[in-house]
Amino acid sequence: MLRNINPILSPQLLYVLRAMGHGDEIVISDANFPGEGIGPDCIRADGSTASEVLEAILSVMPLDSFVPDPALTMQVVGDPDAVPEAVADFQRIINETADKPTEIQTLERFAFYERAAGTFAIVQTGERRFYGNIILKKGVIG
Amino acid sequence: MLRNINPILSPQLLYVLRAMGHGDEIVISDANFPGEGIGPDCIRADGSTASEVLEAILSVMPLDSFVPDPALTMQVVGDPDAVPEAVADFQRIINETADKPTEIQTLERFAFYERAAGTFAIVQTGERRFYGNIILKKGVIG
Amino acid sequence: MLRNINPILSPQLLYVLRAMGHGDEIVISDANFPGEGIGPDCIRADGSTASEVLEAILSVMPLDSFVPDPALTMQVVGDPDAVPEAVADFQRIINETADKPTEIQTLERFAFYERAAGTFAIVQTGERRFYGNIILKKGVIG
Amino acid sequence: MLRNINPILSPQLLYVLRAMGHGDEIVISDANFPGEGIGPDCIRADGSTASEVLEAILSVMPLDSFVPDPALTMQVVGDPDAVPEAVADFQRIINETADKPTEIQTLERFAFYERAAGTFAIVQTGERRFYGNIILKKGVIG
Amino acid sequence: MLRNINPILSPQLLYVLRAMGHGDEIVISDANFPGEGIGPDCIRADGSTASEVLEAILSVMPLDSFVPDPALTMQVVGDPDAVPEAVADFQRIINETADKPTEIQTLERFAFYERAAGTFAIVQTGERRFYGNIILKKGVIG
Amino acid sequence: MLRNINPILSPQLLYVLRAMGHGDEIVISDANFPGEGIGPDCIRADGSTASEVLEAILSVMPLDSFVPDPALTMQVVGDPDAVPEAVADFQRIINETADKPTEIQTLERFAFYERAAGTFAIVQTGERRFYGNIILKKGVIG
Amino acid sequence: MLRNINPILSPQLLYVLRAMGHGDEIVISDANFPGEGIGPDCIRADGSTASEVLEAILSVMPLDSFVPDPALTMQVVGDPDAVPEAVADFQRIINETADKPTEIQTLERFAFYERAAGTFAIVQTGERRFYGNIILKKGVIG
Amino acid sequence: MLRNINPILSPQLLYVLRAMGHGDEIVISDANFPGEGIGPDCIRADGSTASEVLEAILSVMPLDSFVPDPALTMQVVGDPDAVPEAVADFQRIINETADKPTEIQTLERFAFYERAAGTFAIVQTGERRFYGNIILKKGVIG
Amino acid sequence: MLRNINPILSPQLLYVLRAMGHGDEIVISDANFPGEGIGPDCIRADGSTASEVLEAILSVMPLDSFVPDPALTMQVVGDPDAVPEAVADFQRIINETADKPTEIQTLERFAFYERAAGTFAIVQTGERRFYGNIILKKGVIG
Amino acid sequence: MLRNINPILSPQLLYVLRAMGHGDEIVISDANFPGEGIGPDCIRADGSTASEVLEAILSVMPLDSFVPDPALTMQVVGDPDAVPEAVADFQRIINETADKPTEIQTLERFAFYERAAGTFAIVQTGERRFYGNIILKKGVIG
């Protein structure tokens, strides 16, 4: 552990967040997400919820203010406008924790998978609630 | 996740527990334990407490009944007979979960480090309570 | 071995099944299948039949209920509607073991090879009966 | 599979048997043996019994005739003269299959572990009978 | 060396032949063939002729009976119908050794190179006769 | 870069500091120190002084309070009681930045090398002042 | 450190500059640049400014005189003709240090990213000024 | 060193020349050539001229007689018919050393780069004369 | 293949012979020798006899003239003065091929194994005659 | 190549010299030295003499002034006081090129080998003169 740094941020996760630059993206996924086989490095966080990881990441990582959609979640299959409980939780955490709060945008399920395949890394959490996945785009630090 | 298997058991941790044989040992460590540099593979479980990991491991791994000390904790420095809260918790979980309950034995701090260096693997948890470390010796399955 | 887990599931196979997510696929192949050179990791299970491995995998892995074809076998060349003995055995095991029984669908031989090339892993068994191959798609755990 | 070669001999196991020379040793272990952490390469054969693997290995590998103890098993703890069922099975297979039948010799449990640590490779079988372990020393081919 | 297995089959070559499945192909090449840079693993057999290696491989590997051309050689440049001495030798060995004798088919030089690039492995022999190259497709074992 | 974390802490250095546990040690070395060949991982920080790195590390890492010498520098050869300018600077930074200020202790030159060889990692800075080396022992976080 | 060579040039950076040939390109990036995930090797120089690294590199590396644009910076988004302070600094250093001074040319932001992805290496500095990125093309030495 | 083999041929270079087959190509490059980043393995020969390496290679490697252009150099930019001193030297060495002397053909600069990218290996010499690059195609040995 | 170099010398073997220096040793072993597990790199030459390999090696490698025993064979167990046929063959080849003929010296079987374990490399041949092993010490080239 | 840096210093050699610290040692060896098997990384410089490499290294690397013997050569066997031509050449180059000229000291042949085994790296040159080996100890830069 380190002073003043959320201990949920493991050595590998801290490395990744520090190495990411402006515009790089990271996925926080739920426990059912197929994160190991998509391509990017997959960091295990089986003992944490997606909400806990989101809060920890936003405590050190800025969101990108150059784009309108620095936070993306997956649309419910067959009900694209629904807001699952996990996503509502994400929006609340962003409002409270992010340096630049933003309204979460959404992607259709397979578009979300494709976007995830091009990110910098995936954090696979133990989140049990469905649709507990979010993609974050890193911003700049002045 | 898998059916009927505690989801705290990550892919790497399941691999290790399944690969271990009779007499092999595993360390469950607290968040301050120097687990990365001791020698054995170190599996991160930053989002779980040592108690949660102990319960999950004992749900699939038998303790060794060939020896009198299949579970070992670290003595409090300067007070070897004290029973820290984390250790009391370990004893309760062993009583409730292990296939063959046993009374936890103890090792002096540096003897514990030396024993840990010769184990099969270390699971580094996010346990914040001091002395939240335990070494388990695997038994046989008939 | 581990308590309550089918010992046919080796360390590497347990790792793969636990790492797979919703929609990831795994091949169980017979002894003549060209599984080593197709692309995915190939896990050897030369001492088991395909039926034994199928039963062991379904004891821990849910089938995908989002698609109509979570279980696929290879059509007999020249007789696409035939049901080889090994496949009949697969259907019986799925009916008895799977969390959500499903009717096996089929693919033409080379379409099966192509599908197999995109899976998460291949388990190469010692199955001697011809057409003893099956692709399974992993479902979610609630 | 190959013509005239026992299909229990997997690619990796065939490689090892062919690479071994005069005097090199191999362990066939039961399912509880701590084979992964001892040192030599550990080849999984979870779907086979130790007897099946012994028969397959002896079909291609000669036993060393330069020493009196080319086949060694582990003594029962506390009863060194006992002949466990698995060992009786081994002796029968050696009598029937080996190029040069020999009487199995025994080692005390920890002496067996130490000897195993210096071998060329370990084949970890799914043998469920206790004491189903044997060390074989390779002979020459004229 | 192993009992009843041609000693020309080295550890690596035995591994490859055992790992190949139905329809996988292997190249036996002469000493001038550009086998190291084409893509597949290249196994050295500098001390053997292509004929010796062919005979050894056919002693354990079945030819594919699902296709009309399980054995392919390279056409003489400028004289596609010629039968070089090495190829005549190959045909004789196939007739005498293969489980299912077949008539060798041919490919134009660069088509042969392209086909070789997609095989499972290449065995580079010390064959000094020109056109001493052959591609074999593995069959099934019942 | 990350919010609220000194940007001198590179991805690799953050990883190491987060992975270290109670009692693990890290070396901050000057530009002439033989840090690459001693054994531990050597992290380059050629563009920073040792003082800058010390301040950055102490902003996140606690010093060990279980020992009397959690901070060690190298004695001037031939004048063991001298306090080089770099070391005076280190003491000032520890006083101002460390969670638990401590008085720096010293080691003879070759004893310092030997101690450095057993640490978790070495940060090789661009410090041009002689004797600009310090070993820090990590403490616990409550 | 070495005699007569700028100590900002770390072992890895010296290696890269020496290995580059005529026409190979290198990126010097600011602290927010997404340099780790683009493709080329990324050399950390968190303790130096982009200007310091540019001066050090030009002290040993010639610029290409075969092309009109051996030095390229990123256009300010929305104001392509602006000259950020960092870029003005780069032009001054090139005028003073390069073997063949040249006028810096510019690329649109995403064209710059694409060009960077095809370079030999990226040096990620700690430069805090925005647009502190430059691509250099190596020339010949007569 | 070896008896009767030019000592300029280093272990790695001898390996490559021996591994190459009929039609494989190798580049001998001058000191400014961008040989490390093009793709093929790059063998350093910084202490030798291109002429010395050419002579050493031709002492053991035959040129291909199946094609009209087994030796290719780079055209002078803007003067494709010029014969640089280094190239004249190459022609002289081929005439004196090659098993089958041939007239060197030429390629435009970027066509030469593209051809080089598909070769077996590149030998990067310390040749200071411009245009001191040549691609050789290996022939057969009867 | 290469001009004027014995084609039995494979790429890897040529590499090793060229890399060896004054006093380095190489083993040529028969087909029963335990060469893969002793320590040094083991180069396969299953298709050649030990005599063929000895002749090929001596055609390029000088024997050490600084010591009285640059060529060592294994004593027949129980008959240390016997000269096996393979060894007689070795002596004849050394007399005819070596740059500096020498009388072969011998080592007891296990002393030979120990000496072999410290050599630069082992060439494992297909030699079927017993005691067909020899250790050679490389000399200097003036 | 780089501006103002001797082009004999290859990328790997520059890396090593820059990475070495105070007291680290490097060997420059002649063509017969057994440099590949001793332990340290061995950098090939087959096209250069030991004298050329010594001059290039001393142009950038200071010699250690803390010890009386920062330059060591090998004593002639049987004539420890002899000064071979190569060594006389080394002394002349040190006098002319080193930052702090020093008188070369000597070691007995096998003591030299042992010392070499503990150095940072070995540069294997093409030096043909016997005893053309030297060990250099790096000094500090103020």
Side-chain angles (χ1 to χ4, degrees):
Chain A
M1 290 185 290
L2 294 172
R3 297 168 65 191
N4 308 318
I5 295 183
N6 190 321
I8 280 181
L9 301 172
S10 66
Q12 193 184 356
L13 184 45
L14 260 186
Y15 179 98
V16 157
L17 293 170
R18 176 65 181 83
M20 289 169 64
H22 182 201
D24 283 327
E25 297 180 337
I26 190 168
V27 183
I28 301 170
S29 81
D30 62 28
N32 282 299
F33 191 80
E36 297 268 2
I38 276 185
D41 282 346
C42 184
I43 302 171
R44 306 299 308 189
D46 301 278
S48 305
T49 65
S51 296
E52 288 168 336
V53 172
L54 176 61
E55 191 167 345
I57 287 180
L58 290 180
S59 72
V60 296
M61 190 186 91
L63 289 177
D64 191 4
S65 60
F66 282 47
V67 297
D69 55 355
L72 290 160
T73 55
M74 189 192 288
Q75 294 170 1
V76 174
V77 177
D79 187 2
D81 294 330
V83 179
E85 183 187 317
V87 173
D89 216 19
F90 290 162
Q91 183 68 62
R92 179 185 56 74
I93 292 166
I94 287 175
N95 292 347
E96 292 173 359
T97 313
D99 60 331
K100 295 196 186 64
T102 182
E103 193 176 346
I104 293 171
Q105 304 298 311
T106 64
L107 287 173
E108 184 275 335
R109 180 183 170 204
F110 288 99
F112 188 94
Y113 284 165
E114 200 168 333
R115 181 78 164 246
T119 61
F120 198 94
I122 296 173
V123 189
Q124 184 114 30
T125 75
E127 178 65 58
R128 300 298 293 272
R129 293 177 297 182
F130 294 140
Y131 296 101
N133 309 295
I134 187 166
I135 296 174
L136 304 173
K137 188 185 278 284
K138 189 177 180 179
V140 300
I141 285 190
Chain B
M1 290 186 290
L2 293 173
R3 296 169 65 191
N4 309 319
I5 295 181
N6 190 321
I8 279 181
L9 301 172
S10 66
Q12 193 185 355
L13 184 46
L14 261 185
Y15 180 100
V16 157
L17 293 171
R18 176 66 180 84
M20 287 169 64
H22 181 201
D24 283 327
E25 297 180 335
I26 190 168
V27 183
I28 302 172
S29 81
D30 62 27
N32 282 299
F33 191 80
E36 297 267 2
I38 275 184
D41 282 346
C42 185
I43 303 172
R44 305 299 310 188
D46 302 277
S48 305
T49 64
S51 297
E52 288 168 336
V53 172
L54 176 61
E55 191 167 347
I57 286 179
L58 290 180
S59 71
V60 296
M61 190 186 92
L63 288 178
D64 192 3
S65 60
F66 282 48
V67 295
D69 54 354
L72 290 160
T73 54
M74 188 191 289
Q75 294 169 0
V76 174
V77 177
D79 187 3
D81 295 329
V83 179
E85 183 188 318
V87 173
D89 216 19
F90 290 162
Q91 184 66 63
R92 180 187 55 74
I93 292 167
I94 287 174
N95 292 346
E96 293 174 358
T97 314
D99 60 332
K100 295 195 188 61
T102 183
E103 192 176 348
I104 294 171
Q105 304 299 311
T106 65
L107 287 173
E108 184 275 336
R109 180 183 171 204
F110 288 99
F112 189 93
Y113 284 165
E114 200 167 334
R115 181 77 164 248
T119 62
F120 198 93
I122 296 171
V123 189
Q124 183 114 30
T125 74
E127 179 64 58
R128 300 298 292 271
R129 293 178 298 183
F130 294 140
Y131 295 99
N133 309 294
I134 187 166
I135 296 174
L136 305 173
K137 187 184 279 284
K138 188 177 179 178
V140 300
I141 286 189
Chain C
M1 290 185 291
L2 293 173
R3 297 169 64 191
N4 308 319
I5 294 182
N6 191 321
I8 280 181
L9 301 172
S10 65
Q12 192 184 356
L13 184 45
L14 261 185
Y15 180 98
V16 157
L17 293 170
R18 176 65 180 84
M20 288 170 64
H22 181 201
D24 283 328
E25 297 180 337
I26 190 168
V27 183
I28 301 171
S29 82
D30 62 27
N32 281 299
F33 191 80
E36 297 268 1
I38 275 185
D41 282 347
C42 184
I43 301 171
R44 306 300 307 191
D46 301 278
S48 304
T49 64
S51 297
E52 288 168 336
V53 172
L54 176 61
E55 192 167 346
I57 288 180
L58 290 180
S59 72
V60 296
M61 190 186 91
L63 289 178
D64 192 3
S65 61
F66 283 47
V67 296
D69 54 355
L72 290 160
T73 54
M74 189 191 290
Q75 294 170 2
V76 174
V77 176
D79 187 2
D81 294 329
V83 179
E85 183 188 318
V87 173
D89 215 19
F90 291 161
Q91 183 67 63
R92 180 186 56 73
I93 292 166
I94 287 175
N95 292 346
E96 293 173 359
T97 314
D99 60 333
K100 295 195 187 62
T102 183
E103 193 176 344
I104 293 171
Q105 304 298 310
T106 65
L107 286 173
E108 184 274 336
R109 179 183 172 205
F110 288 99
F112 189 93
Y113 284 165
E114 200 168 332
R115 182 77 165 245
T119 61
F120 198 94
I122 295 171
V123 188
Q124 184 115 29
T125 75
E127 178 64 59
R128 299 298 293 269
R129 294 177 298 183
F130 293 140
Y131 295 100
N133 309 295
I134 187 166
I135 296 173
L136 304 173
K137 187 186 279 285
K138 188 176 180 180
V140 300
I141 285 190
Chain D
M1 289 186 291
L2 293 172
R3 298 169 64 191
N4 308 320
I5 295 181
N6 190 321
I8 279 182
L9 301 172
S10 66
Q12 193 184 354
L13 184 45
L14 260 186
Y15 180 99
V16 156
L17 294 170
R18 175 67 180 83
M20 288 169 64
H22 181 201
D24 284 325
E25 297 179 336
I26 190 167
V27 183
I28 302 171
S29 81
D30 63 27
N32 281 300
F33 191 80
E36 297 266 2
I38 275 185
D41 282 346
C42 184
I43 302 172
R44 306 298 309 189
D46 301 278
S48 305
T49 64
S51 297
E52 289 168 335
V53 172
L54 176 62
E55 191 167 347
I57 287 179
L58 290 180
S59 72
V60 297
M61 191 185 92
L63 288 178
D64 192 3
S65 60
F66 282 48
V67 296
D69 54 356
L72 290 161
T73 54
M74 189 191 289
Q75 295 169 0
V76 174
V77 177
D79 187 3
D81 294 329
V83 179
E85 183 188 319
V87 173
D89 216 19
F90 291 161
Q91 183 65 64
R92 181 187 54 74
I93 292 166
I94 287 174
N95 292 347
E96 293 172 358
T97 314
D99 60 333
K100 295 195 187 61
T102 183
E103 192 176 347
I104 294 172
Q105 304 300 310
T106 65
L107 287 174
E108 184 275 336
R109 179 182 172 206
F110 289 99
F112 189 93
Y113 284 165
E114 200 167 333
R115 181 76 164 248
T119 62
F120 198 94
I122 296 171
V123 188
Q124 183 114 30
T125 74
E127 178 64 59
R128 299 298 292 271
R129 294 178 297 183
F130 293 140
Y131 295 101
N133 309 294
I134 188 166
I135 296 174
L136 305 173
K137 187 185 280 285
K138 188 177 180 178
V140 300
I141 285 190
Chain E
M1 290 186 291
L2 294 172
R3 297 168 64 191
N4 308 319
I5 294 182
N6 191 320
I8 279 183
L9 301 172
S10 66
Q12 192 183 358
L13 184 45
L14 260 185
Y15 180 99
V16 157
L17 293 170
R18 176 65 181 85
M20 287 170 64
H22 181 201
D24 283 327
E25 297 179 337
I26 190 168
V27 183
I28 301 170
S29 81
D30 63 26
N32 281 299
F33 192 79
E36 296 268 2
I38 275 185
D41 282 347
C42 183
I43 302 171
R44 305 301 308 191
D46 302 278
S48 305
T49 65
S51 296
E52 289 168 335
V53 172
L54 177 61
E55 192 167 346
I57 287 180
L58 290 180
S59 72
V60 295
M61 190 185 91
L63 288 178
D64 191 4
S65 60
F66 283 47
V67 296
D69 54 355
L72 291 160
T73 54
M74 189 191 290
Q75 294 169 1
V76 174
V77 177
D79 187 3
D81 294 330
V83 179
E85 183 188 318
V87 173
D89 215 19
F90 291 161
Q91 184 66 63
R92 180 186 55 74
I93 292 166
I94 287 176
N95 292 347
E96 293 173 359
T97 314
D99 61 332
K100 295 194 187 62
T102 183
E103 192 176 346
I104 294 171
Q105 305 298 311
T106 64
L107 286 173
E108 183 275 336
R109 179 182 172 204
F110 289 98
F112 189 93
Y113 284 165
E114 201 168 334
R115 181 77 165 247
T119 62
F120 197 94
I122 296 171
V123 189
Q124 183 115 31
T125 75
E127 178 65 58
R128 300 298 293 271
R129 293 178 298 183
F130 293 140
Y131 295 100
N133 308 294
I134 188 166
I135 296 173
L136 304 172
K137 187 186 278 285
K138 188 176 180 180
V140 300
I141 285 189
Chain F
M1 290 185 290
L2 293 173
R3 296 168 65 190
N4 309 319
I5 295 182
N6 190 321
I8 279 181
L9 301 172
S10 66
Q12 193 185 355
L13 184 46
L14 260 185
Y15 180 99
V16 158
L17 294 171
R18 176 65 181 84
M20 289 169 64
H22 182 199
D24 283 327
E25 297 180 337
I26 190 168
V27 182
I28 301 171
S29 81
D30 62 28
N32 281 299
F33 191 80
E36 297 267 1
I38 276 185
D41 282 346
C42 184
I43 303 171
R44 306 298 309 189
D46 302 278
S48 304
T49 64
S51 296
E52 287 168 336
V53 172
L54 176 61
E55 191 166 348
I57 287 180
L58 290 180
S59 72
V60 296
M61 191 185 91
L63 288 178
D64 191 3
S65 60
F66 283 47
V67 295
D69 55 354
L72 290 159
T73 54
M74 188 191 289
Q75 293 170 1
V76 174
V77 176
D79 186 2
D81 295 329
V83 180
E85 182 187 319
V87 173
D89 216 19
F90 291 162
Q91 184 67 63
R92 181 185 55 73
I93 292 167
I94 287 175
N95 292 347
E96 293 173 359
T97 313
D99 60 332
K100 295 195 187 62
T102 183
E103 193 176 345
I104 294 171
Q105 304 299 310
T106 64
L107 288 173
E108 183 275 336
R109 181 183 169 203
F110 288 99
F112 189 93
Y113 284 165
E114 201 168 332
R115 180 79 164 246
T119 62
F120 198 94
I122 296 172
V123 188
Q124 184 114 29
T125 75
E127 178 65 59
R128 300 297 293 270
R129 293 178 298 183
F130 294 140
Y131 295 100
N133 308 294
I134 188 167
I135 295 174
L136 304 173
K137 188 185 279 283
K138 189 178 180 178
V140 300
I141 285 190
Chain G
M1 291 187 290
L2 293 172
R3 296 169 67 190
N4 308 319
I5 295 182
N6 191 322
I8 280 182
L9 301 171
S10 66
Q12 193 184 357
L13 184 45
L14 260 185
Y15 180 98
V16 157
L17 293 171
R18 177 65 181 84
M20 289 169 63
H22 182 200
D24 284 326
E25 298 179 337
I26 190 168
V27 183
I28 301 170
S29 81
D30 63 27
N32 282 299
F33 192 81
E36 297 267 2
I38 276 185
D41 282 346
C42 184
I43 303 171
R44 305 299 308 190
D46 302 278
S48 304
T49 65
S51 296
E52 288 169 336
V53 171
L54 176 61
E55 192 167 345
I57 288 179
L58 290 180
S59 73
V60 295
M61 189 185 92
L63 288 177
D64 191 3
S65 60
F66 283 46
V67 296
D69 55 355
L72 290 160
T73 54
M74 190 191 288
Q75 294 170 2
V76 175
V77 177
D79 187 2
D81 295 331
V83 179
E85 183 187 318
V87 174
D89 215 20
F90 291 162
Q91 184 66 63
R92 181 185 55 74
I93 292 167
I94 287 175
N95 292 346
E96 294 173 358
T97 313
D99 60 331
K100 294 194 187 64
T102 183
E103 192 176 346
I104 294 171
Q105 304 299 310
T106 65
L107 287 172
E108 183 276 335
R109 180 182 170 203
F110 289 98
F112 189 93
Y113 284 165
E114 200 168 333
R115 181 77 165 247
T119 61
F120 198 95
I122 296 172
V123 189
Q124 184 115 29
T125 74
E127 178 64 59
R128 299 298 293 271
R129 293 178 297 182
F130 294 140
Y131 295 101
N133 308 295
I134 188 166
I135 296 173
L136 304 173
K137 187 185 279 283
K138 188 176 180 179
V140 301
I141 285 191
Chain H
M1 291 187 289
L2 293 172
R3 296 169 65 191
N4 308 319
I5 295 181
N6 190 322
I8 280 182
L9 301 172
S10 66
Q12 193 184 357
L13 184 46
L14 260 185
Y15 181 99
V16 157
L17 293 170
R18 175 66 180 85
M20 288 169 64
H22 181 200
D24 284 326
E25 296 179 337
I26 190 168
V27 183
I28 301 171
S29 81
D30 62 27
N32 282 299
F33 192 81
E36 297 267 2
I38 275 185
D41 282 346
C42 184
I43 303 171
R44 305 299 309 190
D46 301 279
S48 304
T49 64
S51 297
E52 288 169 336
V53 172
L54 177 61
E55 192 167 346
I57 287 180
L58 290 180
S59 71
V60 296
M61 190 185 92
L63 289 178
D64 191 4
S65 60
F66 283 47
V67 296
D69 55 354
L72 291 160
T73 53
M74 189 191 288
Q75 294 169 0
V76 175
V77 177
D79 187 3
D81 294 330
V83 179
E85 183 188 319
V87 173
D89 215 20
F90 291 162
Q91 184 66 62
R92 181 186 54 74
I93 293 167
I94 287 175
N95 292 346
E96 294 173 359
T97 314
D99 60 332
K100 294 194 188 62
T102 183
E103 191 176 347
I104 294 171
Q105 305 299 311
T106 64
L107 286 172
E108 183 275 336
R109 180 182 170 204
F110 289 98
F112 189 94
Y113 284 165
E114 201 168 333
R115 182 77 165 247
T119 61
F120 198 95
I122 297 171
V123 188
Q124 184 115 29
T125 74
E127 179 64 58
R128 300 299 293 271
R129 292 178 297 183
F130 294 140
Y131 295 100
N133 308 294
I134 187 166
I135 296 173
L136 304 173
K137 187 185 279 285
K138 188 176 180 180
V140 300
I141 284 190
Chain I
M1 289 186 290
L2 293 173
R3 297 168 65 191
N4 308 320
I5 295 182
N6 191 322
I8 279 182
L9 302 171
S10 66
Q12 194 185 354
L13 184 45
L14 260 185
Y15 180 99
V16 157
L17 294 170
R18 176 64 180 85
M20 288 169 65
H22 181 201
D24 284 326
E25 297 180 336
I26 190 167
V27 183
I28 302 172
S29 81
D30 62 28
N32 282 299
F33 191 80
E36 296 267 1
I38 275 186
D41 282 346
C42 184
I43 303 172
R44 306 298 309 189
D46 302 278
S48 305
T49 64
S51 296
E52 288 168 334
V53 172
L54 176 62
E55 190 167 348
I57 288 180
L58 290 180
S59 72
V60 297
M61 190 185 91
L63 288 178
D64 192 4
S65 59
F66 283 47
V67 296
D69 54 357
L72 291 159
T73 55
M74 189 191 290
Q75 294 169 1
V76 174
V77 177
D79 187 1
D81 294 329
V83 179
E85 183 188 320
V87 173
D89 216 19
F90 291 162
Q91 183 67 63
R92 181 187 54 73
I93 292 166
I94 287 175
N95 292 345
E96 293 173 359
T97 315
D99 59 332
K100 295 193 186 63
T102 183
E103 193 176 346
I104 293 172
Q105 304 299 310
T106 64
L107 288 173
E108 183 274 337
R109 180 183 171 204
F110 289 98
F112 189 93
Y113 284 166
E114 200 167 333
R115 181 77 164 247
T119 61
F120 198 94
I122 296 171
V123 189
Q124 183 113 30
T125 75
E127 179 65 60
R128 299 298 292 272
R129 294 178 296 183
F130 294 140
Y131 296 100
N133 309 294
I134 188 166
I135 295 174
L136 304 173
K137 188 185 279 285
K138 189 176 180 179
V140 300
I141 286 191
Chain J
M1 290 186 290
L2 293 173
R3 297 169 65 191
N4 308 320
I5 295 181
N6 190 322
I8 279 182
L9 301 171
S10 67
Q12 193 184 354
L13 184 45
L14 260 185
Y15 180 98
V16 157
L17 294 170
R18 177 64 181 85
M20 289 169 64
H22 182 200
D24 284 326
E25 297 180 335
I26 190 168
V27 183
I28 302 171
S29 81
D30 62 28
N32 282 299
F33 192 80
E36 297 267 2
I38 276 185
D41 282 346
C42 184
I43 303 171
R44 306 298 308 189
D46 302 278
S48 304
T49 64
S51 296
E52 287 168 337
V53 172
L54 177 60
E55 190 166 349
I57 287 179
L58 290 180
S59 72
V60 297
M61 190 185 92
L63 288 177
D64 192 4
S65 59
F66 283 47
V67 296
D69 54 356
L72 291 160
T73 54
M74 189 191 289
Q75 294 169 0
V76 174
V77 177
D79 187 2
D81 295 330
V83 179
E85 183 188 319
V87 173
D89 216 17
F90 291 162
Q91 184 67 63
R92 180 187 54 74
I93 292 167
I94 287 175
N95 293 346
E96 293 172 359
T97 314
D99 60 332
K100 295 194 187 62
T102 183
E103 193 176 345
I104 294 171
Q105 305 298 310
T106 65
L107 288 172
E108 182 276 337
R109 181 182 170 204
F110 289 99
F112 189 93
Y113 285 166
E114 200 168 333
R115 181 78 165 246
T119 60
F120 198 95
I122 296 172
V123 189
Q124 184 114 29
T125 75
E127 179 64 59
R128 300 297 293 271
R129 294 178 296 183
F130 294 140
Y131 296 100
N133 309 294
I134 188 167
I135 296 174
L136 304 173
K137 188 185 280 283
K138 189 177 179 179
V140 301
I141 285 191

